[in-house]
Amino acid sequence: MEKLNGKKKINIAVFISGRGTNLKSILNLSKNKNSKYIVKLVICNNNNAKGLKIVKRNKIKFQTVNYEIKRKAENKILFSLKKNNIDLICLAGFMKILSKKFIKKYKNRILNIHPSLLPKYKGLNTHKKVILNKEKFTGCTVHIVNSKLDSGKIILQRKMKVLKNDNEKTLAKRLLIIENKVYPKAILKFISTNL
Ligand code: GRF
């Protein structure tokens, strides 16, 4: 934890692989003077991730990690997390699965956002499955990461109606706007009840 303006702030590391819209919304809230957290570090496994532009523009410390050998990649990340006194990890479109060992080291300190109403539709291609199953609702979930995929305790969930003419693309686009609102709120909720 860091003291900024005499107040304690939670140090967050955001893990990304791509676009980074959730990172952006997490970052935006942290710019608020009374924010309870700061984005201290961004970890990215993809040198070409669009999200890195946001990181550079905002002058956030970042590390790109080559994931060819997962064990080595995770050791590097763990080193940086320690060095930067990270209290909380937020996965935001991070396309690598963390090892059990890694998760154990940050037990109950890793959050993720998933584009479905968990426990429904864990894993990939959630929007496709929602359309195929003719669901009336979909949504997104921020949850704690445990060793089972998309299965940890739910922090916050938002429901969204599936419209008659929706396809995978329109669903993803509409849901992303909701995701971007929900993630920072979920972080604040998590901080106030757990940290
Ligand atoms: C989001 O849809 C999130 O739910 C999923 O990956 C996507 C990341 O989007 N886990 P972005 O990179 O934050 O724009």
Side-chain angles (χ1 to χ4, degrees), residues 131-162:
I131 298 280
L132 278 175
N133 289 338
K134 298 187 172 34
E135 293 283 0
K136 288 197 167 61
F137 291 94
T138 184
C140 60
T141 308
V142 177
H143 64 94
I144 296 178
V145 171
N146 64 14
S147 57
K148 286 190 196 134
L149 185 70
D150 301 326
S151 297
K153 186 182 165 202
I154 291 173
I155 305 296
L156 210 57
Q157 201 162 48
R158 282 283 181 281
K159 225 174 169 180
M160 183 186 93
K161 218 172 176 175
V162 179

Side-chain angles (χ1 to χ4, degrees), residues 30-50:
S30 76
K31 289 177 185 166
N32 178 335
K33 207 175 121 203
N34 294 319
S35 164
K36 292 200 167 74
Y37 65 82
I38 48 171
V39 177
K40 187 98 189 273
L41 179 70
V42 170
I43 298 288
C44 182
N45 67 305
N46 167 15
N47 283 316
N48 300 315
K50 233 173 129 185

Side-chain angles (χ1 to χ4, degrees), residues 16-23 91-95 112-115 127 140 176 179-180:
I16 62 165
S17 297
R19 198 172 42 185
T21 63
N22 282 296
L23 162 69
L91 307 181
F94 187 62
M95 298 308 284
N112 180 42
I113 186 155
H114 185 75
H127 305 306
C140 60
L176 190 64
E179 286 187 42
N180 293 164

Side-chain angles (χ1 to χ4, degrees), residues 118-136:
L118 290 174
K120 272 192 163 180
Y121 306 121
K122 297 172 183 174
L124 296 173
N125 301 317
T126 53
H127 305 306
K128 191 175 181 181
K129 293 172 194 163
V130 164
I131 298 280
L132 278 175
N133 289 338
K134 298 187 172 34
E135 293 283 0
K136 288 197 167 61

Side-chain angles (χ1 to χ4, degrees), residues 11-71:
N11 287 334
I12 290 184
V14 182
F15 287 26
I16 62 165
S17 297
R19 198 172 42 185
T21 63
N22 282 296
L23 162 69
K24 194 173 170 193
S25 69
I26 292 169
L27 208 51
N28 280 346
L29 196 79
S30 76
K31 289 177 185 166
N32 178 335
K33 207 175 121 203
N34 294 319
S35 164
K36 292 200 167 74
Y37 65 82
I38 48 171
V39 177
K40 187 98 189 273
L41 179 70
V42 170
I43 298 288
C44 182
N45 67 305
N46 167 15
N47 283 316
N48 300 315
K50 233 173 129 185
L52 287 177
K53 286 196 183 135
I54 301 165
V55 176
K56 289 173 190 162
R57 213 183 303 134
N58 285 278
K59 299 191 171 60
I60 309 284
K61 204 189 269 186
F62 71 97
Q63 187 179 17
T64 50
V65 185
N66 179 345
Y67 243 81
E68 231 163 80
I69 303 171
K70 184 168 170 163
R71 185 180 42 83

